[in-house]
Amino acid sequence: MELHYTEAGEGVPLVLIHGFPLDHALWQPQLEGLSRVARMVAPDLRGFGKSPQASGVVSMEDHAGDVVELLDRLNIGEAVVCGLSMGGYVALAIAELFPRVVKGLILCNTRSVADDGPARRMREITALRALEGGTAEMVPGMVTKLLGPHSAKAVSRSINLVSDMLLRQPATGWAASSRGMAERPDRTPLLSNLRIPALVITGRDDALIPPAESETMTAHLPKGRLVVIPRVGHLTNLEAPEAFNRVVKEFLATAC
Ligand code: MLT
């Protein structure tokens, strides 16, 4: 699967994997702010942005394979793999299935555990609603959950940017990855075997994946470090770009 991607900067190879149901534009503040320290590759995952459309179920392992195929295409042998939320599920699948490409991990607003029964059922409801009724109705509620209350109040530009990003994603992409997330396994046992440096970043006000989940994940990572950014929700990199870029820069300089 040939993914569409954007590339920027020079330095340590850094692949930036967006969350659900977003695209590479999520990473605009990093593509601009980290260009002196990293060679960034930000793909649109299958079914999102300008990448080929998805059908059926796209698993986190499918996404992982697509991203590694892209790195191979770009002759990038090893990269720091950074993923936000669903992008973090994909980053962990890459670490498990393709450890050769992972120089370091940055896990943002994500979790290692699998969905429980009710969460799986919600994924199916989301998939069906997207396919049968379209996604527009779900967008306002989702934007409220993605952005922390401070960002939502303070930056109406963020609201527009995020809701435009959600609205442009095809319903088939929403459905396929929603079903794929429901199938993902618990990757907590993998964490203690990861000998690579890992940075875990989250927002104090993340309403979708509470910071406690990031604390648990960090505790399992032998070389893990946790940074919790205050007054920020689920999209830390977009809501607090300066703080986010600062900790990533420091991680790239010291750990990788
Ligand atoms: C995301 O932002 O990628 C999603 O909230 C992840 C999820 O629904 O588990």
Side-chain angles (χ1 to χ4, degrees):
M1 177 71 51
E2 272 211 13
L3 297 184
H4 175 268
Y5 66 98
T6 288
E7 209 179 346
E10 277 175 32
V12 186
L14 172 65
V15 58
L16 300 168
I17 310 174
H18 63 79
F20 171 90
L22 304 167
D23 63 27
H24 78 272
L26 171 71
W27 300 109
Q28 202 51 43
Q30 285 63 52
L31 294 166
E32 285 163 15
L34 296 174
S35 62
R36 284 162 186 259
V37 293
R39 174 188 177 189
M40 288 163 285
V41 177
D44 287 339
L45 293 176
R46 195 192 305 186
F48 299 102
K50 292 189 181 143
S51 278
Q53 292 243 348
S55 61
V57 180
V58 180
S59 68
M60 299 304 103
E61 295 74 27
D62 292 330
H63 283 312
D66 290 345
V67 172
V68 171
E69 198 180 300
L70 172 62
L71 293 178
D72 289 346
R73 192 154 42 105
L74 296 172
N75 286 319
I76 297 176
E78 236 191 359
V80 173
V81 179
C82 170
L84 184 135
S85 200
M86 180 179 78
Y89 310 156
V90 176
L92 287 176
I94 295 176
E96 179 167 315
L97 303 175
F98 306 95
R100 67 175 168 88
V101 304
V102 188
K103 197 177 161 69
L105 269 178
I106 305 178
L107 300 169
C108 319
N109 306 79
T110 194
R111 50 163 70 98
S112 55
V113 293
D115 282 358
D116 58 15
R120 265 189 224 122
R121 281 192 288 282
M122 266 318 290
R123 303 278 191 207
E124 187 52 27
I125 291 170
T126 302
L128 289 175
R129 281 180 73 186
L131 293 174
E132 288 166 10
T135 59
E137 240 183 48
M138 289 186 274
V139 166
M142 204 171 257
V143 173
T144 313
K145 284 192 197 139
L146 289 169
L147 292 171
H150 297 288
S151 313
K153 251 196 237 147
V155 206
S156 61
R157 208 170 59 90
S158 303
I159 299 179
N160 295 339
L161 193 136
V162 174
S163 85
D164 287 351
M165 216 186 313
L166 293 166
L167 283 167
R168 68 174 173 254
Q169 309 311 325
T172 47
W174 281 59
S177 281
S178 191
R179 289 172 168 153
M181 286 192 283
E183 283 183 358
R184 74 186 195 283
D186 180 6
R187 289 206 154 88
T188 310
L190 167 77
L191 301 178
S192 51
N193 293 321
L194 293 175
R195 303 285 146 194
I196 45 171
L199 173 64
V200 180
I201 307 178
T202 195
R204 171 75 59 217
D205 302 331
D206 190 336
L208 285 171
I209 301 186
E213 301 216 36
S214 299
E215 279 167 30
T216 310
M217 224 171 35
T218 313
H220 283 91
L221 286 160
K223 290 191 182 172
R225 181 184 161 223
L226 172 66
V227 175
V228 183
I229 304 181
R231 298 174 66 83
V232 165
H234 192 59
L235 302 181
T236 43
N237 73 303
L238 198 70
E239 294 179 57
E242 280 165 21
F244 185 95
N245 288 353
R246 196 166 47 243
V247 290
V248 170
K249 261 188 207 164
E250 195 183 295
F251 177 72
L252 296 179
T254 55
C256 296

